[in-house]
Amino acid sequence: MSSAVCSPGLVWCDRTAAMPPPSDIVKVAIEWPGANAQLIEIDQKKPLSSIVREVCDGWSLSGSEQFALRYADGPQLYITEQSRGEMKNGTILRLAISPARAARQLLERIQSHSIDARLEALKELAKLSADPTFATEYINMEGIGTLARLVESGNHFGEMLAFTLTAFLELMDHGIVSWDLISLSFIKQIAGYVNQPMVDVSILQRSLAILESMVLNSHSLYHRVAQEITVGQLIGHLQVSNQEIQTYAIALINALFLKAPEDRRQEEYSNPLDQQLTEMASTLAQKHLRSIILNHVIRGNRPIKTEMAHQLYVLQVLTFNLLEERMMTKMDPNDQAQRDIIFELRRIAFDGENDPGATEKRKAMYTKDYKMLGFTNHVNPAMDFTQTPPGMLALDNMLYLAKLHQDTYIRIVLENSSREDKHECPFGRCAIELTRMLCEILQVGELPSEGCNDYHPMFFTHDRAWEEFFCVCIQLLNKTWKEMRATAEDFNKVMQVVREQITRALAMKPSSLDQLKSKLRGLSYSEILRLRQSERMSQDDFQSPPIIELRERIQPEILELIKQQRLNRLCEGSCFRKLGNRRRQEKFWFCRLSLNHKVLHYGDLDESPQGEVPFELLTDKIPVSDIKSVVTGKDCPHMKEKSALKQNKEVLDLAFSILYDPDEALNFVAPNKYEYCIWTDGLCALLGREMGSDLTRSDLDTLISMEMKLRLLDLENITIPEAPPPVPKEPSSYNFTYNYG
């Protein structure tokens, strides 16, 4: 290891720097308080302890075993034998006391009688606890127990308590210690902070996060937390103006519901805890909770942040998953209570409020009535509900429509019973198939996806949102059937059109059910045909030889345009999320391409940035010339290492990695499919390779189609001016408006 000492801020001036260093040599600067920095070459083949010893010798420091190297920037993590390969040329390091020594000193200072000394120690501990190397040493010294006892004592408040809870949460997040070891008194103390009417925001935030982690990571702790915290007690935290607190509160509600034992939700319970589990599902659907989320979160005066959107999506999924039991329950044709529901559907449609005697007279006509209701099995319509999905859920939807929207139900049934046979819309069959389709669209019964934010505000606007959604869609189906003049043979075709109408309307994110109806009215069958034709026209190629030749001439220009757009987006940069065990405590990092397209700059951030991040804040960099290749999906190193992420198809589809010299990788998980395509295309363009993403194909087709249509415009009898038209004078007054209505 060669070294040189220079004044702080001096750049590397070794004459041998003009020659490329060997792959196992890394040139770094190492700092020590009060001394000039050392510029050294680290041989990655030498033991780290030997390197630390030589650095200590350079400053005449004895006891090198008491020292270690840390990064000077970013998270300032300790460098270990396992992580030393991540060091890059030009990295600035800092000589620091070893993790074991730091842990021992902090543990002693935390137990000091001096309040100021204890506060400073806890503050430093909260920062160091994110380092896995330090965390291991501190936990091995029973440091977790010390923090737990500080909390249990109830003698700490304000900043001291906030730092204590932060350090505790960071240490537990490493997964070194099982959450099952947490005592009941600790849980009660944390729950007490959540239930207190007036508590510091930072303490409340960390307390909610700790309770959520307990519920998600320990089956036994779930029961203890559920005894101390109820959903009703968390509602108050949704009415505050702090969206971070709202997010943590909804996350804890989601965790409590997600981990509630499935079997216990269906049984009748005798003790208070079990009773609470049975009430969890109904609590989620209560008007009070729903209206508070709608008015204080969704319709609040702050934009919904990414994490809040994810938690609302999770809550939406868990709420719809309450339908799974009915969706997977087959009807028992011999169950009289279930058969009575079908009788009720027939009675409402055909008997109205007639007397029982009239009903008796119609028994002989039941088969005809069931045919008019649109059931496939006219003799025993119960058999129509034996297939799962949708099972009994379809019958529930039909009964809700018949009772709550009786006029609509009767109109649909009678309208179709009076049509010619070949054009009648079979209500029963349509309702069953529509229920199955809605379950597929809203993914009923599936667990929430990591990183998905696809929540629909309109489902928070009604206590029976699912049933009302069905009622809107069954009317749409009946309307579309008439517009298509469909027959029984067109049933599947009609359902495909209805599915397209619903998915297109949902993609517009209507804020209410009334707005959904408005969107669907605009998506008539003729409009769907127009949209399909328009999309087909923009995608299809004209096949005549002159048109094909024109396309081939235009394509290189368009590809170059797309390439420049991708590179410009890389120069602007993007923020990426670091996946961890606790989503809301995750950090962010930013990456952008230098303006000369020669270097990728990246670095960690404490929070998602608003706008462009300056190059000065991005401390790490990779020369483009060092990039070997770009890999995606399951071929990414971080997908091979993290099996949990590998199993998540959504995360897998957004993952890509840059492989560069010597054998290192920079791993990405894009926030969405658009950013994934932009970055993979841009990186391929940098390497001179073909841009093969779906976005490139879409952009290429769109731009080529537009360019060809412009060039093929009929310009006969149209005079094209040689000079552009003059810019009109400014109006004398701007006091005018235009009513688009």
Side-chain angles (χ1 to χ4, degrees), residues 106 121-130 162-164 166-168 170:
L106 284 177
L122 287 169
K123 183 177 181 179
E124 188 175 347
L125 177 63
K127 183 178 180 181
L128 279 174
S129 295
F163 288 134
T164 303
T166 301
F168 178 86
E170 290 286 357

Side-chain angles (χ1 to χ4, degrees), residues 264-500:
R264 295 193 175 185
R265 295 181 193 171
Q266 317 304 333
E267 301 171 4
E268 294 194 9
Y269 305 101
S270 57
N271 66 67
L273 171 59
D274 292 342
Q275 184 64 34
Q276 180 184 328
L277 299 180
T278 60
E279 292 172 355
M280 185 71 71
S282 60
T283 302
L284 283 176
Q286 283 177 357
K287 181 177 181 180
H288 188 46
L289 174 61
R290 178 195 59 75
S291 63
I292 285 176
I293 292 176
L294 178 66
N295 296 321
H296 292 272
V297 179
I298 296 176
R299 293 179 179 172
N301 56 6
R302 287 182 173 83
I304 300 295
K305 295 182 180 179
T306 302
E307 179 54 28
M308 173 60 84
H310 174 72
Q311 293 302 334
L312 290 172
Y313 154 76
V314 172
L315 183 59
Q316 173 184 288
V317 170
L318 295 178
T319 303
F320 283 142
N321 282 355
L322 297 173
L323 305 168
E324 183 181 12
E325 183 200 359
R326 295 293 285 173
M327 181 183 74
M328 300 307 295
T329 299
K330 296 181 179 180
M331 186 171 186
D332 182 359
N334 300 317
D335 188 320
Q336 187 59 42
Q338 296 180 0
R339 292 169 62 88
D340 286 344
I341 299 176
I342 299 178
F343 294 156
E344 182 69 4
L345 290 174
R346 192 210 61 78
R347 184 195 67 76
I348 294 173
F350 302 114
D351 292 348
E353 301 298 328
N354 291 345
D355 61 275
T359 304
E360 290 295 327
K361 295 176 185 178
R362 292 188 56 87
K363 285 187 176 179
M365 303 176 65
Y366 277 9
T367 299
K368 181 180 178 182
D369 290 347
Y370 290 145
K371 181 179 180 182
M372 293 171 65
L373 277 170
F375 289 113
T376 304
N377 192 318
H378 308 152
V379 178
N380 185 7
M383 299 302 296
D384 287 14
F385 300 94
T386 56
Q387 184 177 357
T388 58
M392 289 294 289
L393 184 59
L395 188 58
D396 295 342
N397 287 341
M398 295 166 70
L399 185 63
Y400 181 89
L401 174 69
K403 289 196 168 186
L404 275 295
H405 299 273
Q406 193 169 114
D407 291 344
T408 300
Y409 168 68
I410 294 174
R411 176 178 56 80
I412 291 175
V413 173
L414 296 184
E415 190 178 75
N416 286 287
S417 64
S418 62
R419 290 184 193 171
E420 300 178 26
D421 284 348
K422 64 177 182 178
H423 288 300
E424 65 182 10
C425 176
F427 169 74
R429 183 184 177 191
C430 287
I432 292 170
E433 186 59 33
L434 177 63
T435 301
R436 179 187 293 109
M437 178 197 298
L438 297 182
C439 289
E440 292 174 358
I441 292 173
L442 297 177
Q443 300 180 329
V444 175
E446 297 185 17
L447 288 176
S449 299
E450 176 74 20
C452 183
N453 308 324
D454 189 24
Y455 80 98
H456 297 279
M458 71 175 184
F459 290 127
F460 293 88
T461 63
H462 200 284
D463 297 332
R464 304 292 295 274
W466 165 264
E467 291 86 350
E468 290 293 324
F469 183 47
F470 169 82
C471 293
V472 172
C473 293
I474 193 68
Q475 294 178 72
L476 169 72
L477 195 159
N478 186 61
K479 172 174 169 286
T480 303
W481 187 282
K482 289 189 291 184
E483 291 174 347
M484 296 176 65
R485 294 188 55 79
T487 63
E489 289 75 20
D490 300 319
F491 183 85
N492 290 333
K493 181 181 177 182
V494 174
M495 296 308 297
Q496 290 173 2
V497 173
V498 171
R499 186 187 192 100
E500 185 173 347

Side-chain angles (χ1 to χ4, degrees), residues 62-98:
S62 59
S64 62
E65 66 279 357
Q66 297 295 319
F67 293 92
L69 294 176
R70 290 173 60 185
Y71 289 101
D73 301 315
Q76 300 182 5
L77 300 178
Y78 279 100
I79 296 172
T80 64
E81 291 290 354
Q82 292 73 32
S83 66
R84 62 186 296 178
E86 299 174 6
M87 284 190 294
K88 312 291 189 304
N89 285 320
T91 301
I92 301 176
L93 307 180
R94 179 175 299 156
L95 185 67
I97 60 174
S98 67

Side-chain angles (χ1 to χ4, degrees), residues 443-711:
Q443 300 180 329
V444 175
E446 297 185 17
L447 288 176
S449 299
E450 176 74 20
C452 183
N453 308 324
D454 189 24
Y455 80 98
H456 297 279
M458 71 175 184
F459 290 127
F460 293 88
T461 63
H462 200 284
D463 297 332
R464 304 292 295 274
W466 165 264
E467 291 86 350
E468 290 293 324
F469 183 47
F470 169 82
C471 293
V472 172
C473 293
I474 193 68
Q475 294 178 72
L476 169 72
L477 195 159
N478 186 61
K479 172 174 169 286
T480 303
W481 187 282
K482 289 189 291 184
E483 291 174 347
M484 296 176 65
R485 294 188 55 79
T487 63
E489 289 75 20
D490 300 319
F491 183 85
N492 290 333
K493 181 181 177 182
V494 174
M495 296 308 297
Q496 290 173 2
V497 173
V498 171
R499 186 187 192 100
E500 185 173 347
Q501 290 170 315
I502 294 172
T503 52
R504 285 181 183 272
L506 287 177
M508 300 178 199
K509 297 292 183 182
S511 59
S512 65
L513 289 165
D514 286 338
Q515 200 175 99
L516 172 69
K517 295 175 186 176
S518 176
K519 302 291 185 188
L520 290 173
R521 279 195 295 270
L523 290 169
S524 62
Y525 176 55
S526 59
E527 177 65 12
I528 292 295
L529 290 180
R530 189 193 69 78
L531 290 171
R532 286 179 174 178
Q533 184 178 9
S534 175
E535 291 168 359
R536 194 179 302 117
M537 287 284 290
S538 65
Q539 294 172 3
D540 289 349
D541 297 331
F542 298 103
Q543 297 302 315
S544 62
I547 300 299
I548 294 175
E549 182 181 352
L550 176 60
R551 181 185 178 90
E552 291 174 351
R553 289 187 179 184
I554 292 174
Q555 184 162 322
E557 302 174 18
I558 301 299
L559 280 173
E560 182 62 27
L561 184 65
I562 294 173
K563 174 183 174 182
Q564 291 304 319
Q565 188 269 343
R566 299 295 193 263
L567 294 177
N568 289 340
R569 280 287 289 107
L570 263 62
C571 290
E572 294 174 10
S574 298
C575 180
F576 299 91
R577 187 166 48 83
K578 288 187 175 182
L579 295 178
N581 296 329
R582 291 192 323 280
R583 287 187 88 253
R584 290 174 322 290
Q585 267 94 40
E586 287 170 351
K587 302 296 183 183
F588 297 89
W589 67 286
F590 198 90
C591 186
R592 61 182 298 197
L593 179 66
S594 63
L595 299 181
N596 62 6
H597 299 173
K598 292 185 178 182
V599 179
L600 277 173
H601 297 263
Y602 65 96
D604 293 337
L605 301 175
D606 292 332
E607 58 183 14
S608 182
Q610 300 297 325
E612 194 174 274
V613 176
F615 288 109
E616 295 75 21
L617 297 181
L618 305 177
T619 56
D620 299 310
K621 58 186 178 181
I622 300 174
V624 173
S625 58
D626 288 351
I627 298 177
K628 294 180 178 179
S629 63
V630 177
V631 295
T632 61
K634 63 182 180 181
D635 295 325
C636 298
H638 56 321
M639 292 294 106
K640 295 178 180 178
E641 297 169 1
K642 299 185 178 182
S643 58
L645 293 180
K646 189 175 180 181
Q647 295 168 4
N648 190 324
K649 186 178 184 302
E650 187 167 350
V651 173
L652 194 65
D653 290 342
L654 299 177
F656 62 97
S657 297
I658 295 174
L659 305 183
Y660 61 99
D661 290 331
D663 288 308
E664 301 182 31
L666 182 62
N667 301 314
F668 299 74
V669 175
N672 50 55
K673 189 67 175 178
Y674 176 79
E675 289 292 335
Y676 171 85
C677 293
I678 288 290
W679 275 84
T680 52
D681 283 343
L683 292 171
C684 287
L686 280 176
L687 300 179
R689 298 172 186 171
E690 181 181 353
M691 299 179 293
S693 74
D694 295 339
L695 183 62
T696 290
R697 286 191 289 272
S698 174
D699 288 350
L700 182 63
D701 289 341
T702 300
L703 294 172
I704 285 182
S705 176
M706 290 174 59
E707 182 68 18
M708 290 179 66
K709 288 174 181 177
L710 287 173
R711 296 194 183 191

